[in-house]
Amino acid sequence: MPLLHRFLETQALRNDRFTGLWRKRCRPDSVAYAAWLRAHGGLHAMGPDCLINFDVTITDPAYTRLGRGVCLATCSLIGHDASVAVLNPAYGVKLDAVGKIDVGDHVFIGHQAIVLAGVTIGERSIVAAGAVVSKDVPAGSIVGGVPARVIGQTDELVEKLKAKTAELPWADLIAKREGGFDPAMEPELVRRRVAHFFAPRAAPAARDERRD
């Protein structure tokens, strides 16, 4: 890690200083940003072993709770409905529209998904990319769509992926891997994947130039 990056990360994690510059220049990984969020993000609570992308949006951290092993891709957790700022003067009322977001253990929320105020996501659930979650998600469910609805069960997905993984040309590496990422193993893993994904195309059949 370059000296400047190390300095910025140390200052951000220890003292919450230069955090914007750290995010912009260093694009911290999900482990480092989760550590910053736990220390300085103002969440109601956050369990251990979380992975949080640095460009996640959490509008109301005080009303947000993350369980153990939560993984947030580039998604948005929106704990309020800002339309009341328009409705209050327009109708001469005093409305409030704020709610908690409660994410259980071992939940994955995908790229550009949106979780709205008042939602509880049960443990071992998956929110698909682009989903808009406006209602509670039962534990062990996969939800997707706009608005999000249950489209599968995580137990079934695990069994399907186990079978597919066993057939991969790099299955032996996956079996040896500790945790989700092993830098020493990554070059060989990438090499095998590329060789599998982009196998040489078969040569086109020779055209028959004979004429009747």
Side-chain angles (χ1 to χ4, degrees):
M1 179 186 295
L3 183 60
L4 176 60
H5 287 198
R6 187 179 301 113
F7 170 77
L8 291 175
E9 181 166 289
T10 299
Q11 290 297 313
L13 294 180
R14 291 183 181 177
N15 307 312
D16 194 24
R17 297 182 62 204
F18 310 119
T19 303
L21 186 60
W22 173 57
R23 291 173 60 182
K24 182 178 180 180
R25 291 287 301 273
C26 306
R27 300 177 65 86
D29 64 28
S30 55
V31 174
Y33 191 66
W36 177 85
L37 199 63
R38 179 180 290 106
H40 308 293
L43 296 173
H44 175 76
M46 179 178 175
D49 304 320
C50 291
L51 300 173
I52 314 293
N53 277 17
F54 75 92
D55 47 2
V56 159
T57 297
I58 301 177
T59 63
D60 298 86
Y63 313 132
T64 302
R65 178 168 63 179
L66 305 179
R68 171 188 295 270
V70 169
C71 182
L72 302 182
T74 303
C75 60
S76 298
L77 310 185
I78 302 176
H80 67 276
D81 182 350
S83 67
V84 298
V86 173
L87 298 176
N88 282 337
Y91 288 85
V93 293
K94 295 182 179 180
L95 306 175
D96 190 33
V98 178
K100 69 173 183 179
I101 294 177
D102 197 357
V103 180
D105 296 343
H106 306 294
V107 167
F108 174 79
I109 301 179
H111 184 69
Q112 294 188 347
I114 298 173
V115 180
L116 299 178
V119 166
T120 296
I121 301 178
E123 64 179 12
R124 297 175 291 104
S125 294
I126 295 173
V127 176
V132 176
V133 185
S134 58
K135 296 181 180 180
D136 290 352
V137 175
S141 299
I142 303 169
V143 298
V146 181
R149 60 181 180 82
V150 175
I151 58 175
Q153 301 296 319
T154 50
D155 289 350
E156 295 174 0
L157 177 62
V158 167
E159 293 305 312
K160 183 184 297 184
L161 291 176
K162 281 170 61 176
K164 292 181 67 175
T165 299
E167 298 175 356
L168 295 173
W170 52 88
D172 60 312
L173 297 180
I174 299 300
K176 296 175 184 176
R177 188 166 62 177
E178 296 293 335
F181 180 78
D182 185 340
M185 189 181 294
E186 196 66 13
E188 175 62 14
L189 189 59
V190 171
R191 186 194 68 78
R192 293 198 200 179
R193 285 171 172 168
V194 169
H196 177 69
F197 296 151
F198 302 104
R201 291 188 175 96
R207 297 178 61 183
D208 190 348
E209 299 294 340
R210 294 178 299 174
R211 297 180 179 177
D212 294 335

